[in-house]
Amino acid sequence: MAQESPKNSAAEIPVTSNGEVDNSHEHGFNRDLKHSLPSGLGLSETQITSHGFDSTREGVIEAGTYQGSPAPPLPSVLSPSRVAASQLAQQGSDLIVAAGGQRTQTKSGPVILADEIKNPAMEKLELVRKWSLNTYKCTRQIISEKLGRGSRTVDLELEAQIDILRDNKKKYENILRLAQTLSTQLFQMVHTQKQLGDAFADLSLKSLELHEEFGYNADTQKLLAKNGETLLGAINFFIASVNTLVNKTIEDTLMTVKQYESARIEYDAYRTDLEELNLGPRDANTLPKIEQSQHLFQAHKEKYDKMRNDVSIKLKFLEENKVKVLHNQLVLFHNAIAAYFAGNQKQLEQTLKQFHIKLKTPGVDAPSWLEEQ
């Protein structure tokens, strides 16, 4: 006798007479859920849609427009699963209750990331790579020129002017060094003459028998010391002007010459690189390299032409300025030396006035700002 096995009521699935699943439990669940919603939301119409257990979609609550507030509708997700619960919690977090009791919804949208994010480390690495490649090519060009294997671009006229400038700079530095030595020695001589004049004057007062003789020598030494100070002022002015010409004006031109020589080495390095690529085979792999090398060669050629033009202009202006400055300084130096050794005090003072040279009175300090006011 067959016995019916006990069945668990929770595992039973009601089936209608035509074989379809009975949805009465789901309708009951939807009805209970509708009654369990908070009344404070004030939804005018709520429709609960549910699918069978075999469907991949989750239950969705579709809410109509809230008539009592201008806030947008509240989209919600309700499902027995944990995924639906988390979605409902996330949507609910977008609601912000204002002080007046009205609910507002924050604007939340997708985060858009830029397609290309610049990385400072990658940019620095790229700069180091370019610098290393440029340094390697320039070093190879310099070594090739030293060994006599590489060719170099030469502007004969410009190179001759640069060589003359460097030679003149060495000669001017020698004149400047000798003038500084003369100034130092003249200063020591003037200082000695002052001391000697003071000694003669002191003996003139104490020796009655040789009063006149000591007095003449004291006056002579004081006059020589005064003329020496005037000559010293002219020589120092000559030194300052020549020093400005040599260590500032000419040095600035030579700095431009160094930049021109660096541009020339880079130009020859990329020119040699382009020539080597043109001598090789032309295929799909080498054509992009040739085009890139041609572009770099053209850029360095423009830089080289610009620097060559700058050097030519600076050399021209330097020559004009040098002639003007040295003409005035040489005339000053000659007139001052000639007047000093001729003993012509008036001519010496006139020379200083001609070049607007003011001597500092010994033993007199500059006035303070209180005295000036």
Side-chain angles (χ1 to χ4, degrees):
M1 182 176 179
Q3 295 180 358
E4 294 180 358
S5 60
K7 298 181 180 179
N8 189 0
S9 61
E12 293 181 356
I13 300 176
V15 180
T16 59
S17 60
N18 57 0
E20 296 179 353
V21 179
D22 190 3
N23 296 329
S24 60
H25 294 283
E26 294 180 5
H27 291 298
F29 172 74
N30 294 339
R31 183 176 59 256
D32 296 338
L33 179 63
K34 183 175 180 181
H35 288 293
S36 64
L37 289 175
S39 59
L41 294 178
L43 300 177
S44 62
E45 181 181 357
T46 304
Q47 181 179 356
I48 303 176
T49 306
S50 176
H51 299 278
F53 291 97
D54 57 345
S55 174
T56 59
R57 296 187 59 185
E58 300 173 349
V60 179
I61 297 177
E62 297 179 359
T65 306
Y66 175 48
Q67 301 295 333
S69 173
L74 174 64
S76 303
V77 177
L78 181 62
S79 175
S81 64
R82 295 180 179 178
V83 178
S86 63
Q87 293 179 356
L88 184 60
Q90 292 176 359
Q91 293 180 359
S93 63
D94 292 340
L95 290 176
I96 300 176
V97 179
Q102 295 183 354
R103 293 177 176 87
T104 60
Q105 184 175 3
T106 60
K107 295 182 180 180
S108 60
V111 179
I112 301 176
L113 298 177
D115 295 335
E116 296 181 358
I117 301 177
K118 294 183 178 180
N119 191 351
M122 295 301 295
E123 292 181 356
K124 292 182 179 180
L125 185 61
E126 182 65 19
L127 291 176
V128 171
R129 187 188 70 83
K130 291 181 179 180
W131 175 84
S132 301
L133 183 61
N134 185 71
T135 304
Y136 164 73
K137 291 184 178 182
C138 293
T139 305
R140 184 183 63 178
Q141 177 66 25
I142 293 174
I143 295 175
S144 300
E145 293 178 1
K146 294 292 184 181
L147 298 177
R149 298 177 181 177
S151 61
R152 63 187 299 264
T153 305
V154 179
D155 190 337
L156 296 178
E157 182 180 358
L158 189 60
E159 292 290 339
Q161 294 178 2
I162 293 174
D163 292 339
I164 293 174
L165 175 62
R166 287 174 173 167
D167 185 62
N168 288 336
K169 183 175 183 293
K170 293 180 180 179
K171 295 178 180 179
Y172 296 155
E173 287 176 345
N174 184 38
I175 291 176
L176 183 61
R177 185 166 51 253
L178 294 174
Q180 290 173 347
T181 303
L182 177 62
S183 175
T184 303
Q185 294 174 351
L186 181 60
F187 175 79
Q188 293 176 354
M189 186 182 70
V190 169
H191 182 68
T192 304
Q193 287 174 342
K194 286 183 178 180
Q195 291 180 343
L196 189 58
D198 293 339
F200 284 150
D202 184 60
L203 290 173
S204 175
L205 296 176
K206 295 180 180 180
S207 301
L208 299 178
E209 298 83 1
L210 300 174
H211 172 73
E212 294 182 359
E213 289 78 2
F214 279 124
Y216 294 153
N217 283 278
D219 294 340
T220 302
Q221 293 301 322
K222 290 181 180 180
L223 180 61
L224 289 175
K226 182 179 179 181
N227 293 339
E229 290 178 351
T230 307
L231 177 62
L232 189 62
I235 292 176
N236 289 335
F237 185 78
F238 172 82
I239 291 173
S241 300
V242 175
N243 182 64
T244 302
L245 175 66
V246 173
N247 294 324
K248 292 185 178 180
T249 309
I250 295 180
E251 187 65 27
D252 179 70
T253 305
L254 290 178
M255 288 297 296
T256 308
V257 170
K258 291 180 181 179
Q259 296 176 1
Y260 158 75
E261 291 176 346
S262 299
R264 197 273 307 166
I265 293 175
E266 293 179 354
Y267 166 71
D268 285 337
Y270 283 92
R271 175 182 57 81
T272 304
D273 191 19
L274 180 61
E275 291 175 356
E276 292 177 355
L277 290 176
N278 288 330
L279 293 176
R282 292 177 175 269
D283 52 16
N285 294 327
T286 59
L287 284 178
K289 295 181 180 179
I290 293 175
E291 292 180 358
Q292 183 181 7
S293 180
Q294 179 69 33
H295 176 71
L296 294 174
F297 165 75
Q298 189 65 30
H300 285 86
K301 183 177 183 300
E302 293 176 357
K303 180 180 178 182
Y304 167 72
D305 293 337
K306 179 180 179 299
M307 293 306 303
R308 180 176 59 182
N309 187 36
D310 292 346
V311 170
S312 299
I313 294 174
K314 281 200 171 185
L315 286 175
K316 180 180 178 181
F317 284 109
L318 174 63
E319 186 66 23
E320 296 176 357
N321 187 28
K322 180 190 70 174
V323 171
K324 181 179 179 180
V325 170
L326 288 181
H327 171 75
N328 294 332
Q329 297 305 316
L330 291 174
V331 170
L332 165 66
F333 191 81
H334 171 268
N335 293 341
I337 293 291
Y340 172 78
F341 284 100
N344 192 345
Q345 182 180 2
K346 293 182 179 179
Q347 181 65 30
L348 186 59
E349 294 177 353
Q350 184 65 29
T351 301
L352 268 65
K353 290 181 180 179
Q354 179 182 355
F355 292 92
H356 307 285
I357 301 174
K358 295 182 179 180
L359 296 179
K360 181 179 178 181
T361 305
V364 178
D365 297 332
S368 63
W369 61 276
L370 289 175
E371 294 175 351
E372 291 179 352
Q373 291 179 356

